[in-house]
Amino acid sequence: MSRRPRRAAVLGSPVAHSLSPALHSCAYRVLGLDHWSYDRHEVDEPALPGFLARLRDRAEGPTWAGLSLTMPLKRAVIPLLDEVTVRAAAVESVNTVLRTPDGRLTGDNTDIPGLVAALRERGVHRVESATVLGAGATAASALAALAELGSGPVTVCVRGPERAARMRAWGERLGVDVRTLAWERAGAALAAPLVLSTTPKGAADVLARAVPARPGALFDVVYDPWPTPLAAAWSAAGGPVLSGLDLLVHQATRQVELMTGRGPAPLARMRAVGSAALATAAAMC
């Protein structure tokens, strides 16, 4: 008897660069889910309600298991959902939408456990203090992850007083002692035991010349191009570095398990597929 096709996808704008289809498809193969497929769709904020209607449609909806969301949809999707998990609501950021059998749409955040798992994989189980570069959705998830790791004070380097106030508010909500610092002074904050760079590619390049002589650990959420100038300088100084691929793979394993109900997702195989895809893309440039 043939099994009913199931589908999932990543939405965002731009989304052509996303590695999620390669990672999820790899997991489906390893888990024997040959009736599952995973695609990418270019969807911006105005188009999002129409796409979600497809998941609620009586005819098409039951084939859908869920969605991965990238920018700029992580906050825009929240008022369009039936339910949001406590974890996602805490940072007002949804990167995972799950469709229940009765057609309800639930939002979750796998970036937070993905960050925690990636750090623990590298031996970072507790952090006395940290620095976060940036003030977007990923920065909020980073604060939530640091709260789970029992972090002490966190210095957040931002541009402008409005973003600084927003990050202090996130800290109060998450129980993290957030101290903000103007972006122009970010170089002085790189001496923390852990630095998490959550900025878009290129934004932190100028900080490469401010890497301390004996750096702690760096988690740079960019994965393409890699290494970033900051990551390269950090490695040259002898500091351990985690990349955006580490986060992407760890959060994707959780998405696979949530959407399919199967697991554990094949972390090592997914990482190998992601690395190969990045190498292929770099060779084509």
Side-chain angles (χ1 to χ4, degrees):
M1 179 181 294
S2 63
R3 290 176 288 182
R4 183 181 66 182
R6 300 304 309 277
R7 63 199 300 197
V10 58
L11 312 184
S13 184
V15 77
H17 67 286
S18 176
L19 294 180
S20 292
L23 300 181
H24 284 249
S25 296
C26 168
Y28 297 164
R29 290 192 299 271
V30 174
L31 295 173
L33 301 174
D34 55 3
H35 58 303
W36 282 71
S37 64
Y38 189 102
D39 301 303
R40 62 168 65 87
H41 296 275
E42 184 79 15
V43 176
D44 57 13
E45 289 187 47
L48 183 58
F51 197 99
L52 292 181
R54 297 171 59 180
L55 277 69
R56 300 182 189 276
D57 181 77
R58 289 186 178 181
E60 183 179 358
T63 66
W64 283 95
L67 302 169
S68 307
L69 301 180
T70 185
M71 299 306 292
L73 306 178
K74 292 185 177 184
R75 287 183 177 151
V77 74
I78 293 177
L80 305 175
L81 300 173
D82 299 303
E83 185 180 2
V84 176
T85 64
V86 172
R87 178 170 57 198
V91 293
E92 294 183 6
S93 179
V94 165
N95 77 327
T96 307
V97 175
L98 304 173
R99 186 190 186 281
T100 62
D102 61 359
R104 290 176 60 81
L105 303 182
T106 299
D108 201 352
N109 183 308
T110 63
D111 283 335
I112 298 169
L115 281 161
V116 172
L119 286 166
R120 286 176 173 165
E121 183 184 31
R122 299 297 184 91
V124 181
H125 296 278
R126 188 168 182 84
V127 182
E128 295 180 2
S129 63
T131 292
V132 173
L133 306 176
T138 305
S141 294
L143 289 182
L146 290 170
E148 189 169 334
L149 291 168
S151 166
V154 177
T155 300
V156 181
C157 302
V158 298
R159 290 185 172 90
E162 183 177 340
R163 293 180 180 180
R166 183 171 65 206
M167 294 309 293
R168 287 194 296 269
W170 285 122
E172 291 179 9
R173 176 181 294 188
L174 296 166
V176 177
D177 179 12
V178 169
R179 305 168 185 183
T180 56
L181 190 67
W183 182 261
E184 293 74 18
R185 299 175 57 198
L190 298 185
L194 172 64
V195 176
L196 297 101
S197 178
T198 69
T199 62
K201 62 181 179 182
D205 290 358
V206 67
L207 297 176
R209 58 175 177 261
V211 174
R214 295 183 178 180
L218 171 69
F219 199 151
D220 191 332
V221 302
V222 173
Y223 61 81
D224 185 21
W226 187 261
T228 64
L230 177 60
W234 206 277
S235 292
V241 175
L242 292 81
S243 79
L245 182 60
D246 292 297
L247 170 58
L248 184 64
V249 171
H250 275 282
Q251 67 82 25
T253 62
R254 280 150 181 77
Q255 287 185 336
V256 168
E257 292 164 0
L258 287 170
M259 291 180 189
T260 68
R262 295 279 300 277
L267 177 68
R269 293 279 293 276
M270 292 168 71
R271 177 180 279 127
V273 165
S275 296
L278 288 174
T280 300
M284 295 175 63
C285 293

